[in-house]
Amino acid sequence: MGEPLTSTGVRPPGPAGRWLVGNTIDYDRDRMGFLRRCHDEYGDVFSFDEHTIVVRDPDLVHDLFARTNDDFSSESSAVATGFDARRSADDAQVWMSARRSGWRGLNRAAATAHTTRLGALFERTLAEAGDRPVDVLELMKSYSGRAAADFCLGADADGVPEVVAENAAAIEPLSGSSQLFPEWFPSRKIKRFRLARKATLDAITERIHRRRSAPAPDEPRDLLDVLLAARDPELTELQVQRLLRGILLAAYGVPAASMTWLVRTLATRPDLWERVAAESAAWDGEDQPPLSALPQAEAVVKEVLRLWPPTWLMGRTAIRPTSLGRWALEPGDQVMFSPYLLHRDPRWWPDADVLDPDRWLANRTPRKHSYLPFGAGPRVCVGTQLGVVQLTLGAFWLTRGYRVSAPGADRSAPEFHNLLVPKGFRAAFSRA
């Protein structure tokens, strides 16, 4: 691969690629196969092009996460934008300030109330499916969209899941392409994206104004209450908008894909269904069970996230001249890595490709930095713990109250697109 400067004088090795188009065509033809082949040939670090390197070393990935906001940015866009290091740093500060206020202020009562409402949302979503076979990913998008809107907006959530669904659908064909176009480019897809983004921000802004015009509650009922009550520092309307839109979108597709893999796993492994169902039936409390009461369900969730992390490819962009390991990077250079490959690396995981929830019950601590289903560091996925709770309770509700029929589940192969999903997975849900 090429010669641009690094601390060792050359870039990491990598495939030369085709004339004009580089490695884009070969990568898009088989994304995971391309990454595997390159790592097998060139090692844990290789050059994809003159501005992008791909890493598979857990310590390098951890270093990348730890230095996010200082040396690297995690910002991404569905359209091409010129990289602006100062703007990226300013945006990171806005995001982190809003996040800190949000998680600090979200009290236990508000979180508990949300998980209680989740059960009703889960039942409502499955009831709408009836007992006919449905596309499970689309069904779980409906559930996760409602769950995210409830967490963020509580009683003001009506209408928001539909707006967010359109925003996510408008982003998908743009971010799923290796070639990004500028926002001004005359394209129906980009126009749809602009309109959907505006609709989401308008919906959030309307609810901010509505909430501000009403008396403040004694205790926060949802994340919006928390953000509006923040005083150290007080958040601007722009900060609140950005945080809520980011969470609503992040909590739409990723949890839906995770829940789809969880349903597929339980439907195709009767032994695991029986273990989780026995645990669910044993709970006799009136409230939702804590995770400590659901070790079998939590172990299955962790193993599903290990084998099929929805965000299978992540990246960071260098904000300033810096280095990663022995490789020097310039502003705008990208570093990519795949949690999917880290999670299935036999150097870190015994029987890496085997579905084995018992590995989480036997106090077998994973190799440090080798398990990253939600990222790590200062920009770790917002609501990580909430996501694990939602998935674990999903396994609890599913095995406690339903039967799942998915005769073609084994044919739903992994699809490495924007998210890692089981392609074409369909199932029928009926009351037990």
Side-chain angles (χ1 to χ4, degrees):
M1 196 59 186
E3 307 291 329
L5 292 177
T6 72
S7 57
T8 58
V10 294
R11 287 188 66 81
R18 303 167 186 259
W19 185 60
L20 294 180
V21 298
N23 290 301
T24 301
I25 291 177
D26 293 325
Y27 170 72
D28 282 341
R29 183 178 293 125
D30 178 7
R31 296 182 176 189
M32 184 49 62
F34 177 88
L35 295 180
R36 284 187 184 277
R37 288 193 302 273
C38 288
H39 280 306
D40 287 346
E41 182 172 354
Y42 301 106
D44 282 341
V45 184
F46 74 87
S47 289
F48 180 83
D49 58 36
E50 64 178 6
H51 295 294
T52 307
I53 66 172
V54 185
V55 303
R56 191 183 54 178
D57 181 285
D59 294 329
L60 291 182
V61 173
H62 172 71
D63 190 28
L64 191 67
F65 278 129
R67 293 161 54 199
T68 296
N69 292 348
D70 294 326
D71 296 325
F72 297 96
S73 168
S74 64
E75 301 303 321
S76 61
S77 175
V79 293
T81 58
F83 182 74
D84 184 327
R86 181 180 295 275
R87 179 181 59 79
S88 179
D90 290 344
D91 285 348
Q93 290 305 314
V94 168
W95 180 259
M96 293 303 294
S97 175
R99 276 174 47 138
R100 282 192 296 268
S101 296
W103 304 135
R104 235 185 359 244
L106 196 63
N107 63 24
R108 186 184 182 114
T112 300
H114 167 67
T115 58
T116 299
R117 294 191 299 269
L118 274 180
L121 292 175
F122 188 83
E123 289 188 6
R124 172 185 167 191
T125 303
L126 265 60
E128 290 173 354
D131 56 1
R132 65 188 186 282
V134 295
D135 184 312
V136 178
L137 178 61
E138 293 305 313
L139 183 70
M140 293 305 158
K141 284 181 180 178
S142 178
Y143 167 61
S144 62
R146 289 166 174 169
D150 179 87
F151 175 71
C152 291
L153 302 168
D156 289 325
D158 283 354
V160 172
E162 293 77 13
V163 174
V164 172
E166 170 58 18
N167 199 162
I171 290 172
E172 184 172 357
L174 298 175
S175 60
S177 171
S178 297
Q179 178 66 54
L180 298 182
F181 294 93
E183 195 165 330
W184 52 260
F185 191 78
S187 158
R188 290 182 180 178
K189 293 178 181 178
I190 292 178
K191 181 179 180 180
R192 181 188 181 189
F193 163 72
R194 290 199 307 265
L195 292 173
R197 180 181 59 190
K198 181 178 185 301
T200 303
L201 291 172
D202 286 348
I204 293 170
T205 303
E206 176 190 345
R207 284 153 179 82
I208 292 173
H209 293 170
R210 186 189 308 167
R211 198 71 67 89
R212 278 183 165 155
S213 67
D218 294 332
E219 293 288 344
R221 301 156 296 184
D222 49 45
L223 185 58
L224 179 56
D225 275 348
V226 171
L227 298 176
L228 295 182
R231 292 295 178 267
D232 186 22
E234 184 173 350
L235 302 180
T236 66
E237 184 171 294
L238 176 62
Q239 288 174 314
V240 176
Q241 282 178 342
R242 287 185 178 181
L243 181 66
L244 289 180
R245 179 174 179 266
I247 292 177
L248 287 167
L249 287 171
Y252 177 76
V254 172
S258 301
M259 194 68 199
T260 302
W261 281 113
L262 180 61
V263 173
R264 181 183 181 274
T265 299
L266 291 170
T268 56
R269 286 287 301 269
D271 58 322
L272 296 182
W273 179 285
E274 290 173 7
R275 284 166 56 172
V276 177
E279 179 179 80
S280 300
W283 175 254
D284 59 1
E286 294 184 5
D287 298 327
Q288 307 296 344
L291 292 192
S292 59
L294 303 174
Q296 296 291 339
E298 186 178 10
V300 171
V301 166
K302 287 181 176 179
E303 186 69 348
V304 165
L305 291 173
R306 184 186 72 84
L307 285 174
W308 300 289
T311 309
W312 64 276
L313 188 67
M314 300 183 184
R316 297 291 187 267
T317 303
I319 296 173
R320 57 178 61 87
T322 187
S323 62
L324 186 69
R326 63 194 182 96
W327 309 108
L329 300 165
E330 295 299 320
D333 284 353
Q334 290 189 311
V335 182
M336 308 300 295
F337 54 93
S338 174
Y340 180 90
L341 291 177
L342 281 178
H343 293 179
R344 289 174 177 258
D345 193 320
R347 293 175 296 178
W348 325 128
W349 299 92
D351 300 318
D353 291 323
V354 175
L355 176 67
D356 179 18
D358 286 339
R359 74 175 78 237
W360 301 100
L361 300 169
N363 295 319
R364 285 181 269 165
T365 304
R367 196 271 195 196
K368 200 172 183 181
H369 314 317
S370 66
Y371 183 65
L372 303 166
F374 298 108
R379 291 300 295 269
V380 66
C381 176
V382 293
T384 293
Q385 185 59 29
L386 184 67
V388 173
V389 170
Q390 289 180 352
L391 289 167
T392 305
L393 288 177
F396 168 79
W397 294 319
L398 186 68
T399 57
R400 186 178 172 98
Y402 296 88
R403 290 186 294 268
V404 178
S405 174
D410 290 336
R411 296 192 297 274
S412 52
E415 181 178 48
F416 297 89
H417 193 52
N418 291 358
L419 298 173
L420 172 57
V421 298
K423 185 176 182 180
F425 175 49
R426 298 177 67 82
F429 300 85
S430 57
R431 279 289 190 179

